[in-house]
Amino acid sequence: MIGQGFMGRAHSNAFHQVSRFFDIPYDLKMRAICGRDRPRLEAMAAKWGWENTETEWHAIIERKDVDIVDIVTPNYLHAEIAIGAARAGKIVLCEKPLARNLTEATSMVEAAGRGPSLVWFNYRRVPAIALAKSIVAEGRLGQIYHYRASYLQSWGANPSVSGWRFNRENAGSGAVGDLLAHLVDIALLLNGPMSELSAITHTFAPGRQVDDAVLVQARFHNGSIGTFEASRYAIGRQNQNVFEIHGSKGMLRFDLEDLNRLEFFDAQGLPHLQGSANILVTNPEHPYVGHFWPPGHIIGYEHTFIATLADFLTNLDAGQPFHADFADGLEVQRILDAVEKSSEQRSWLPL
Amino acid sequence: MIGQGFMGRAHSNAFHQVSRFFDIPYDLKMRAICGRDRPRLEAMAAKWGWENTETEWHAIIERKDVDIVDIVTPNYLHAEIAIGAARAGKIVLCEKPLARNLTEATSMVEAAGRGPSLVWFNYRRVPAIALAKSIVAEGRLGQIYHYRASYLQSWGANPSVSGWRFNRENAGSGAVGDLLAHLVDIALLLNGPMSELSAITHTFAPGRQVDDAVLVQARFHNGSIGTFEASRYAIGRQNQNVFEIHGSKGMLRFDLEDLNRLEFFDAQGLPHLQGSANILVTNPEHPYVGHFWPPGHIIGYEHTFIATLADFLTNLDAGQPFHADFADGLEVQRILDAVEKSSEQRSWLPL
Amino acid sequence: MIGQGFMGRAHSNAFHQVSRFFDIPYDLKMRAICGRDRPRLEAMAAKWGWENTETEWHAIIERKDVDIVDIVTPNYLHAEIAIGAARAGKIVLCEKPLARNLTEATSMVEAAGRGPSLVWFNYRRVPAIALAKSIVAEGRLGQIYHYRASYLQSWGANPSVSGWRFNRENAGSGAVGDLLAHLVDIALLLNGPMSELSAITHTFAPGRQVDDAVLVQARFHNGSIGTFEASRYAIGRQNQNVFEIHGSKGMLRFDLEDLNRLEFFDAQGLPHLQGSANILVTNPEHPYVGHFWPPGHIIGYEHTFIATLADFLTNLDAGQPFHADFADGLEVQRILDAVEKSSEQRSWLPL
Amino acid sequence: MIGQGFMGRAHSNAFHQVSRFFDIPYDLKMRAICGRDRPRLEAMAAKWGWENTETEWHAIIERKDVDIVDIVTPNYLHAEIAIGAARAGKIVLCEKPLARNLTEATSMVEAAGRGPSLVWFNYRRVPAIALAKSIVAEGRLGQIYHYRASYLQSWGANPSVSGWRFNRENAGSGAVGDLLAHLVDIALLLNGPMSELSAITHTFAPGRQVDDAVLVQARFHNGSIGTFEASRYAIGRQNQNVFEIHGSKGMLRFDLEDLNRLEFFDAQGLPHLQGSANILVTNPEHPYVGHFWPPGHIIGYEHTFIATLADFLTNLDAGQPFHADFADGLEVQRILDAVEKSSEQRSWLPL
């Protein structure tokens, strides 16, 4: 693993825990962690059971005892490391957004070739979102009319907050790559490709290099229209990642702050009994849940990384494709790129 | 109408509005209102369109042009007036609780005889509660296991609040007659008769003559067990009248503070889609709603009185029985009486 | 009153009830109602107490005993009647949207001149929205960053639904004039004027002449960015009119399907106790509520018309300006007009 | 660790994870796990990293390399093992309920003496409950009037469900020991000791040896009155552990199915802004949360065990008392014992 920040903890936990909850066809070893701040690195290695530490990422990809390289660095290092690791024959896992821009993402996909890869769009494995996917796949929403998503946070709503996420060179973008990327990935998963979009990005903090918020209107291939909003200036929300879909046969609504629940309105039911069903997605019938705890015993944020890794390893062993892979990450990047262009040009863009 | 307080306004509104929303087989005339505070009485008569005023209730029941007498006085006058009015050949409508105690209620039922009568248990005509009744009647809950109801208010949570409701002679009881009466009426409607109960009443305000709160445990004839709580000391709640019923096939939940909604959990549905459906009870398919506004346009507290009166008048014309009538009010009173006795004796009592 | 549909009932009720709940400085007489379907008209006049009926609107404005003309016709008649009535010296009240387009609205404002007028943007008098207005005015939200509003219905989500609302000549537009108009009026009230917008309208029903849905992005003068969505194809929602505002000091959220509540997040409070407060807006401290029922006894849709009329008549008597008047209706129309233009031109438009 | 069921997994996870999230003053070794089903035991040991396996619990307490013994067996083994382990000089951790009955629990406390011990009332370390405790301690609720708690599940609502939990000899009781025990522990924590109670237990499943549901009324030393309900027959609820407290200055409400949230109504605030604040308990200011993930990234059921163990080990090292210890478990057992006696005797019992 290369990187040692907050996401490094979440990934370390996933490597650490995946075999406790899932039957994994590999005996994972946490060989080495790489970071530049050595004292923090040593502490983190000790805490999470990494066997070795390195301060240069090249050292990681040169190790013979490493088959998988996981990239959790700031965004500006994703492309360079991923391409290097892929060329060194490693399987590459990479935090989202895949890259700072479309050019980098394209190079990364080329480097990864047809081999297995993973982008950490961990929310795909929220049980409630996996359930949403199957409800859509079963046709229970009918023809889709509206797709609506928002990712609202407030931790950035202070000009004095700093870090690499606010530096354009390091991060590529602000709310676009950090938050909108998640919304777009889930939208593509649940509602298919978009045909055009119009967007604006906005920076509230004086002098900040990246966007604090972004608004998007979109049309999808399936005829539905969509709206997206992501913000780090949404006072009152901490991590509210919501989507709502209206189709001819029903509605779905999800909120990450209540990630163990899914709302489903079945417009096919008896008229006098129709209402939004608040499904507590903690039953053995629900995706992933049987691996965790009994009904009603909720899971947290970290379990989405564990389930992602479990699926990846299981598919790897079975020779099955896994999603989201680098190609999926590129599709998201293509849309983020259009979002930024649309905002600059103040116009609709085809996709 | 005899009485001129807050409930007098709600009843006046019902008389005033019933023919606007329902096709009523009578041409109602608001002949006279009776009260003791003449200036307030005149103002109220003017505001609500009462044709005449009287300051003695006997004057009302002696009027030839009066067929229906509606009693909205403090509780201590219910029995005397109702019996007088019934003997004078009037149809009597009476606020709940029917009486201060079982003795009074029994006399009132005797006086009313087999004629039509009404007790203003208006919550029976909340559309969501009427829907709940039909869900139960359709067998959608299966065998009932649990009945749970609470009526929580906080306006009395201050020793300095005064008025006839806090005087034992005038009110008969506190939360028991004022709040628990509603819970018991709805419980009998939805879950049938009780077989035994154990209760405590409690007064928080020093020196107050009536109970501020009451807790009840009960067994029902249908084998279910129940719990009831009513309080005027429930800080944080204003008028939260909730019931929740668990049966072998599903669950219902209602809250008066959101009276246009009903929660229904259908345990017969597909396991992976089960959840509490939040039904917005504002569709034409729902009871009473077609008389008011289109879907999604909610109604308020006062509409329950209008619907009650509409049903009463319609049934009166058709010669059909109406509920809740005085006999229903007596059944509630029998239970309230047992509640107070159980609290005094600190023991279970059969019903 | 000219018109006899669903809104005619709501207005009739307001005329009928306003003096019951408010001390009105006038003795209102419901002189005449005008409509073309005579049998329905007679029935409606009888039900709601209109003294006379007319089948030609000119007859109304020619009556000497009429001071106020209320227009609740299909949109295409608003301008003609309002201008006629204004020229005849009547005070004119008009349903929203004020007109089919900006040209009509401009003529209407000119005709009304400086005299009193009213557009029935009744949601301004939802107690929770009036409370929101005062929270904003007290500076409790600080600098506004985000304004988000949606009005979601589903009754039109069927190509076979018909009526004047789906005819372009009669209605002017679909969701734009019917639903977005409400959102825009409240946005202007709470967040001030907009500086530019980009929008798309969309029609799902084959062959339908008017829009079924509309998406809008906007910038406001105060530096905030906004997003609006209105739809008649939002399966699962009946009348969900929501706004959410994020400012530097807090957040507000309102939903018309729960119109007695307002959510307020106070970001100035103690950090460990901050959360969205679910305010039950039924206390005497809250706007309008003291005129209706005691705390916790909720009001319904119709009360917003009553409160609107009460304010209008009170201000009329006091010689005070009332809002929303025709000029306010014109401001809304200006934005609706830009929305349609922006959608046609697929571009941002200044306001 | 002795035991290998569902709770064994939750405890194993806690031992496994505690040092990842907390700075623990010990280097924990997971020496041995004991169970009777050897194939399952070996699989579990491998999955969770237990170094050795044993099939006789005596072998565990005789091991020199074991300092702490954790008991997660069926209830009937708690007393025998705990006493044996305590006498062997081990520190004993025991699942709740501490014992099948008061006699056993008393012996266990005697055996444990003044040494450190732990009962796994893990819900004390739900961040929202720890926050509730501090809100109460800060006096923010004022004088307490009402305490209300319910623990509603439905997995037992089927006569064919079996296992040791339905055998009286093995379990001691049903919903009483399994669910009510949790409610009572939290009630004692938040509201102090009870003075008397009246209860009924009920078994719905024909022939089942233990109670399926229990209702309790109670009086507390602080003058408040309380009601408790626990059931395995509450169709529609999976793991709904709710408490609600009303005091002179405010209200608290918690629901385990949304364990990252706490509702707090502050009756001291500005009257027009009062409402139940829905606190997302995921900020660094909140108890335990800083050890897990950033704001808005929720935790799950298992984290409560991790936090419990972290506190226990920290206090052990510091020589500080830890709660809930065996003495706390005994206090709960005293009340459960009174509950069963009250139900048999159909009477109020002093405590």
Side-chain angles (χ1 to χ4, degrees):
Chain A
M1 190 172 83
I2 301 167
Q4 61 180 105
F6 144 48
M7 293 309 299
R9 283 180 80 217
H11 290 215
S12 294
N13 185 68
F15 288 114
H16 194 64
Q17 291 285 79
V18 64
S19 65
R20 315 295 170 189
F21 292 107
F22 291 83
D23 290 319
I24 294 304
Y26 298 99
D27 182 19
L28 279 193
K29 302 290 180 195
M30 295 169 73
R31 288 292 185 223
I33 182 171
C34 172
R36 289 183 184 160
D37 179 338
R38 182 162 283 285
R40 273 184 58 216
L41 185 68
E42 296 300 338
M44 186 154 169
K47 210 159 195 59
W48 290 98
W50 292 99
E51 297 170 8
N52 300 282
T53 58
E54 303 278 3
T55 54
E56 287 295 323
W57 64 263
H58 293 94
I60 294 278
I61 69 171
E62 283 161 14
R63 287 183 72 115
K64 293 274 158 57
D65 60 351
V66 163
D67 299 310
I68 295 178
V69 171
D70 183 31
I71 304 171
V72 284
T73 63
N75 300 344
Y76 76 98
L77 292 168
H78 287 190
E80 186 182 1
I81 300 176
I83 292 168
R87 288 183 182 157
K90 308 303 187 191
I91 296 169
V92 188
L93 284 50
C94 185
E95 244 311 307
K96 46 62 50 184
L98 183 57
R100 285 176 298 182
N101 52 55
L102 189 53
T103 311
E104 283 186 349
T106 305
S107 306
M108 291 166 80
V109 168
E110 285 169 7
R114 300 188 170 191
S117 64
L118 175 153
V119 183
W120 286 97
F121 282 119
N122 58 305
Y123 295 148
R124 289 188 175 211
R125 266 78 188 187
V126 172
I129 293 184
L131 176 61
K133 171 72 182 159
S134 76
I135 287 172
V136 170
E138 291 163 8
R140 294 185 190 281
L141 296 192
Q143 181 192 344
I144 306 303
Y145 301 130
H146 288 285
Y147 191 95
R148 186 179 313 113
S150 54
Y151 202 145
L152 304 181
Q153 298 185 337
S154 51
W155 64 276
N158 192 331
S160 66
V161 178
S162 64
W164 67 263
R165 282 185 167 82
F166 299 104
N167 179 293
R168 185 153 187 90
E169 179 66 19
N170 291 351
S173 64
V176 168
D178 193 20
L179 305 180
L180 182 64
H182 276 302
L183 300 184
V184 168
D185 179 62
I186 298 299
L188 297 178
L189 177 74
L190 297 179
N191 203 34
M194 301 177 195
S195 51
E196 61 171 356
L197 61 78
S198 170
I200 52 169
T201 60
H202 190 77
T203 302
F204 292 106
R208 189 169 281 174
Q209 298 174 349
V210 297
D211 60 285
D212 288 322
V214 55
L215 308 181
V216 184
Q217 293 171 346
R219 292 185 186 273
F220 289 81
H221 283 193
N222 65 7
S224 62
I225 55 177
T227 169
F228 297 84
E229 178 168 12
S231 177
R232 291 167 170 168
Y233 263 71
I235 304 296
R237 302 299 182 191
Q238 259 115 45
N239 198 28
Q240 195 198 44
N241 173 344
V242 169
F243 64 77
E244 194 168 288
I245 316 175
H246 303 272
S248 57
K249 295 186 180 169
M251 176 186 78
L252 282 176
R253 185 178 192 279
F254 169 80
D255 176 353
L256 185 68
E257 287 183 356
D258 285 307
L259 69 81
N260 292 270
R261 296 183 180 273
L262 182 69
E263 264 186 65
F264 173 50
F265 184 100
D266 182 1
Q268 305 286 96
L270 292 171
H272 69 301
L273 300 181
Q274 287 182 16
S276 245
N278 192 328
I279 305 172
L280 187 57
V281 189
T282 59
N283 284 358
E285 294 85 7
H286 296 136
Y288 303 110
V289 172
H291 294 276
F292 298 120
W293 307 109
H297 295 73
I298 70 169
I299 62 164
Y301 166 71
E302 71 205 50
H303 296 78
T304 60
F305 292 92
I306 298 172
T308 299
L309 186 59
D311 275 1
F312 178 75
L313 295 173
T314 302
N315 289 17
L316 183 66
D317 179 59
Q320 298 290 328
F322 170 87
H323 300 283
D325 64 6
F326 275 24
D328 297 311
L330 175 61
E331 284 312 299
V332 172
Q333 203 71 47
R334 202 182 302 281
I335 288 168
L336 301 188
D337 193 70
V339 162
E340 295 197 292
K341 276 214 191 78
S342 169
S343 180
E344 280 162 34
Q345 302 175 6
R346 295 171 56 83
S347 69
W348 281 84
L349 286 184
L351 289 166
Chain B
M1 190 171 83
I2 302 167
Q4 62 180 106
F6 143 49
M7 292 309 300
R9 284 180 79 217
H11 290 215
S12 294
N13 185 69
F15 288 114
H16 194 63
Q17 292 284 82
V18 64
S19 64
R20 315 295 171 190
F21 293 107
F22 291 83
D23 290 319
I24 295 303
Y26 298 98
D27 182 20
L28 279 194
K29 303 287 181 199
M30 295 169 71
R31 288 292 184 221
I33 182 171
C34 172
R36 290 184 182 157
D37 179 339
R38 182 164 283 286
R40 275 184 56 216
L41 185 67
E42 295 301 336
M44 187 155 170
K47 212 163 194 59
W48 291 97
W50 292 98
E51 299 170 7
N52 300 284
T53 58
E54 302 278 4
T55 53
E56 286 297 323
W57 63 263
H58 294 94
I60 294 279
I61 69 173
E62 282 160 16
R63 289 182 73 113
K64 292 273 157 55
D65 60 352
V66 162
D67 299 309
I68 295 179
V69 171
D70 183 29
I71 306 171
V72 284
T73 62
N75 301 344
Y76 76 99
L77 291 168
H78 287 190
E80 186 181 0
I81 301 176
I83 292 168
R87 287 185 183 155
K90 310 301 186 192
I91 295 171
V92 188
L93 283 48
C94 185
E95 244 312 305
K96 45 62 51 183
L98 184 56
R100 285 178 297 182
N101 52 54
L102 189 54
T103 311
E104 284 186 349
T106 305
S107 307
M108 291 166 79
V109 170
E110 285 169 7
R114 299 188 170 192
S117 63
L118 174 154
V119 183
W120 286 97
F121 282 119
N122 58 304
Y123 295 149
R124 288 188 176 210
R125 267 78 187 185
V126 172
I129 293 183
L131 176 60
K133 172 71 182 158
S134 77
I135 287 173
V136 170
E138 291 163 8
R140 294 186 190 280
L141 296 192
Q143 180 192 345
I144 308 302
Y145 301 131
H146 288 283
Y147 192 95
R148 186 180 312 115
S150 53
Y151 203 144
L152 304 182
Q153 298 185 336
S154 51
W155 64 276
N158 191 331
S160 66
V161 178
S162 65
W164 68 264
R165 282 186 167 81
F166 300 103
N167 179 294
R168 185 154 187 90
E169 180 65 20
N170 290 352
S173 64
V176 167
D178 192 20
L179 305 179
L180 182 64
H182 276 302
L183 300 184
V184 167
D185 179 61
I186 298 299
L188 297 178
L189 177 74
L190 297 179
N191 202 36
M194 301 178 197
S195 50
E196 60 171 356
L197 63 76
S198 170
I200 53 171
T201 61
H202 189 78
T203 302
F204 292 105
R208 189 169 282 173
Q209 297 175 350
V210 297
D211 60 285
D212 289 321
V214 55
L215 308 181
V216 184
Q217 293 169 348
R219 293 184 186 274
F220 288 82
H221 282 193
N222 65 6
S224 63
I225 55 178
T227 169
F228 297 84
E229 178 169 11
S231 177
R232 289 166 171 170
Y233 262 73
I235 305 296
R237 302 298 182 192
Q238 258 116 46
N239 199 26
Q240 194 198 44
N241 173 346
V242 170
F243 64 77
E244 193 168 292
I245 316 175
H246 304 272
S248 57
K249 295 185 180 170
M251 176 184 79
L252 282 176
R253 185 177 192 280
F254 170 81
D255 176 354
L256 185 68
E257 286 182 357
D258 286 307
L259 69 80
N260 292 271
R261 295 183 179 273
L262 182 69
E263 264 186 65
F264 173 49
F265 184 101
D266 182 0
Q268 306 286 95
L270 291 171
H272 70 301
L273 300 181
Q274 288 182 15
S276 244
N278 193 329
I279 306 170
L280 187 59
V281 189
T282 58
N283 286 357
E285 295 86 5
H286 295 137
Y288 304 110
V289 172
H291 294 276
F292 298 119
W293 307 108
H297 296 72
I298 70 169
I299 62 164
Y301 166 72
E302 71 207 50
H303 296 77
T304 59
F305 292 91
I306 297 172
T308 298
L309 186 59
D311 276 0
F312 178 76
L313 294 172
T314 303
N315 289 16
L316 183 66
D317 179 60
Q320 299 290 327
F322 170 87
H323 299 282
D325 65 4
F326 276 22
D328 298 311
L330 175 60
E331 284 313 299
V332 172
Q333 203 70 48
R334 201 184 300 283
I335 287 169
L336 302 188
D337 193 70
V339 162
E340 295 198 291
K341 277 215 190 78
S342 169
S343 179
E344 280 161 35
Q345 302 175 6
R346 295 171 57 83
S347 68
W348 282 84
L349 286 185
L351 290 165
Chain C
M1 189 172 82
I2 302 167
Q4 63 180 103
F6 144 48
M7 292 311 299
R9 283 179 80 218
H11 290 214
S12 293
N13 184 68
F15 289 114
H16 194 62
Q17 292 285 81
V18 64
S19 65
R20 315 294 171 190
F21 293 107
F22 292 83
D23 290 319
I24 295 303
Y26 297 99
D27 181 20
L28 279 193
K29 302 288 180 198
M30 294 169 72
R31 288 293 185 221
I33 181 170
C34 172
R36 290 184 183 159
D37 178 339
R38 182 163 283 285
R40 273 185 57 216
L41 185 67
E42 296 300 337
M44 187 153 169
K47 213 160 193 55
W48 290 97
W50 292 99
E51 297 170 10
N52 300 284
T53 58
E54 304 278 4
T55 55
E56 287 296 323
W57 64 263
H58 294 93
I60 294 279
I61 70 172
E62 283 161 14
R63 288 182 72 114
K64 292 275 158 54
D65 61 352
V66 163
D67 299 309
I68 295 180
V69 171
D70 183 29
I71 305 171
V72 283
T73 63
N75 300 343
Y76 76 99
L77 292 168
H78 287 190
E80 186 181 1
I81 301 176
I83 292 167
R87 287 183 183 158
K90 308 302 186 191
I91 295 170
V92 189
L93 283 49
C94 185
E95 243 312 304
K96 46 63 48 184
L98 183 56
R100 286 178 297 181
N101 53 53
L102 189 54
T103 311
E104 283 186 350
T106 306
S107 307
M108 291 166 81
V109 169
E110 285 169 8
R114 299 188 171 190
S117 63
L118 174 154
V119 184
W120 285 97
F121 282 119
N122 58 305
Y123 295 149
R124 289 188 175 211
R125 266 77 185 185
V126 172
I129 294 183
L131 176 60
K133 172 71 182 159
S134 76
I135 287 173
V136 170
E138 291 162 9
R140 294 186 191 279
L141 296 192
Q143 181 192 344
I144 307 302
Y145 302 130
H146 289 284
Y147 192 94
R148 186 179 312 115
S150 54
Y151 202 145
L152 304 181
Q153 298 186 336
S154 51
W155 65 275
N158 192 332
S160 66
V161 179
S162 64
W164 68 264
R165 284 185 166 81
F166 300 104
N167 179 292
R168 183 153 188 91
E169 180 66 19
N170 290 352
S173 64
V176 168
D178 193 19
L179 305 180
L180 182 63
H182 276 301
L183 300 184
V184 167
D185 179 61
I186 299 299
L188 296 178
L189 177 74
L190 297 179
N191 202 35
M194 300 178 197
S195 50
E196 60 171 356
L197 63 76
S198 170
I200 53 172
T201 60
H202 190 77
T203 302
F204 292 105
R208 189 168 283 173
Q209 298 175 347
V210 297
D211 60 284
D212 288 321
V214 55
L215 308 180
V216 184
Q217 293 170 346
R219 293 184 186 274
F220 289 81
H221 282 193
N222 65 7
S224 63
I225 55 178
T227 169
F228 297 84
E229 178 168 11
S231 178
R232 290 166 170 171
Y233 262 73
I235 306 296
R237 302 298 182 192
Q238 258 116 47
N239 199 27
Q240 194 198 44
N241 174 344
V242 169
F243 64 77
E244 193 168 290
I245 316 175
H246 303 272
S248 56
K249 294 185 181 170
M251 176 184 80
L252 281 176
R253 185 177 192 280
F254 170 80
D255 176 354
L256 186 67
E257 286 182 357
D258 286 307
L259 69 80
N260 292 270
R261 295 183 180 274
L262 181 70
E263 264 186 64
F264 174 49
F265 184 101
D266 182 0
Q268 306 286 95
L270 291 171
H272 70 303
L273 300 180
Q274 288 181 15
S276 245
N278 193 329
I279 305 171
L280 188 59
V281 189
T282 58
N283 285 357
E285 293 86 5
H286 295 137
Y288 303 110
V289 173
H291 294 275
F292 299 118
W293 307 110
H297 294 73
I298 71 169
I299 63 165
Y301 166 72
E302 72 206 48
H303 296 78
T304 60
F305 292 92
I306 299 172
T308 298
L309 187 58
D311 275 1
F312 178 76
L313 295 172
T314 302
N315 289 15
L316 183 65
D317 179 60
Q320 298 291 328
F322 170 87
H323 300 283
D325 64 5
F326 276 22
D328 298 311
L330 175 60
E331 284 312 300
V332 172
Q333 203 70 48
R334 201 183 302 281
I335 287 169
L336 302 187
D337 192 71
V339 162
E340 296 198 291
K341 278 216 190 77
S342 169
S343 180
E344 280 161 36
Q345 303 175 6
R346 296 170 58 82
S347 68
W348 282 83
L349 286 184
L351 290 166
Chain D
M1 189 172 83
I2 302 167
Q4 62 180 106
F6 144 47
M7 293 310 300
R9 283 180 81 217
H11 289 214
S12 294
N13 184 69
F15 288 114
H16 195 64
Q17 291 286 81
V18 64
S19 64
R20 315 294 171 191
F21 292 107
F22 291 83
D23 290 318
I24 295 303
Y26 297 99
D27 182 19
L28 278 194
K29 303 289 179 197
M30 294 170 73
R31 290 290 184 223
I33 182 171
C34 173
R36 288 183 185 160
D37 179 338
R38 182 162 285 284
R40 274 185 57 217
L41 185 67
E42 296 300 337
M44 186 153 171
K47 213 161 193 60
W48 291 97
W50 292 99
E51 298 170 9
N52 301 283
T53 59
E54 305 278 3
T55 54
E56 287 296 322
W57 62 265
H58 294 93
I60 295 278
I61 69 171
E62 283 160 14
R63 289 182 72 115
K64 293 275 159 53
D65 61 351
V66 164
D67 299 311
I68 296 178
V69 171
D70 183 29
I71 305 171
V72 284
T73 63
N75 301 344
Y76 75 99
L77 291 168
H78 287 189
E80 186 182 359
I81 300 177
I83 293 169
R87 286 183 184 158
K90 309 301 187 192
I91 296 170
V92 189
L93 283 49
C94 185
E95 244 313 306
K96 47 59 55 182
L98 183 57
R100 287 178 296 181
N101 53 54
L102 189 53
T103 311
E104 284 186 350
T106 306
S107 305
M108 291 166 80
V109 169
E110 285 170 7
R114 301 189 170 186
S117 63
L118 175 153
V119 183
W120 285 98
F121 282 119
N122 57 305
Y123 295 149
R124 289 189 174 209
R125 265 79 186 187
V126 172
I129 294 184
L131 176 61
K133 171 71 182 159
S134 76
I135 287 173
V136 170
E138 290 163 8
R140 293 185 190 281
L141 296 192
Q143 182 193 342
I144 307 302
Y145 301 131
H146 287 285
Y147 192 95
R148 186 179 311 112
S150 53
Y151 202 144
L152 303 181
Q153 298 185 335
S154 51
W155 64 276
N158 192 332
S160 67
V161 178
S162 64
W164 67 263
R165 283 185 167 81
F166 299 104
N167 178 293
R168 184 153 187 91
E169 179 66 19
N170 290 352
S173 65
V176 168
D178 194 19
L179 304 179
L180 183 63
H182 276 302
L183 299 184
V184 167
D185 179 62
I186 299 300
L188 297 178
L189 177 74
L190 296 179
N191 203 35
M194 300 176 196
S195 51
E196 60 171 356
L197 62 77
S198 171
I200 52 169
T201 61
H202 190 77
T203 302
F204 291 105
R208 189 169 281 173
Q209 298 174 349
V210 297
D211 59 286
D212 288 322
V214 53
L215 308 180
V216 184
Q217 293 171 345
R219 293 185 187 273
F220 289 80
H221 283 193
N222 65 7
S224 63
I225 55 177
T227 169
F228 297 84
E229 178 167 12
S231 177
R232 290 167 169 168
Y233 262 73
I235 305 296
R237 302 298 182 191
Q238 260 117 45
N239 199 27
Q240 195 198 42
N241 173 345
V242 169
F243 64 78
E244 194 168 289
I245 316 175
H246 303 272
S248 57
K249 296 185 180 168
M251 176 185 79
L252 282 176
R253 186 179 191 277
F254 169 81
D255 176 353
L256 186 67
E257 286 183 357
D258 286 307
L259 69 80
N260 292 270
R261 294 183 180 273
L262 181 70
E263 264 186 65
F264 173 50
F265 184 101
D266 181 0
Q268 306 285 95
L270 291 171
H272 69 302
L273 300 180
Q274 287 182 16
S276 244
N278 192 328
I279 306 171
L280 187 58
V281 189
T282 59
N283 285 357
E285 294 85 7
H286 295 137
Y288 304 112
V289 172
H291 294 277
F292 298 121
W293 307 110
H297 294 73
I298 71 170
I299 62 164
Y301 166 71
E302 70 206 51
H303 296 77
T304 59
F305 292 92
I306 297 172
T308 299
L309 187 59
D311 276 1
F312 178 76
L313 295 173
T314 301
N315 288 17
L316 184 65
D317 179 60
Q320 298 290 328
F322 170 87
H323 299 284
D325 64 4
F326 276 24
D328 297 311
L330 174 61
E331 284 312 299
V332 172
Q333 203 70 49
R334 201 182 303 282
I335 288 168
L336 302 188
D337 192 70
V339 162
E340 296 198 293
K341 276 215 190 78
S342 168
S343 180
E344 280 162 36
Q345 301 176 7
R346 296 171 57 83
S347 69
W348 282 84
L349 286 185
L351 289 166

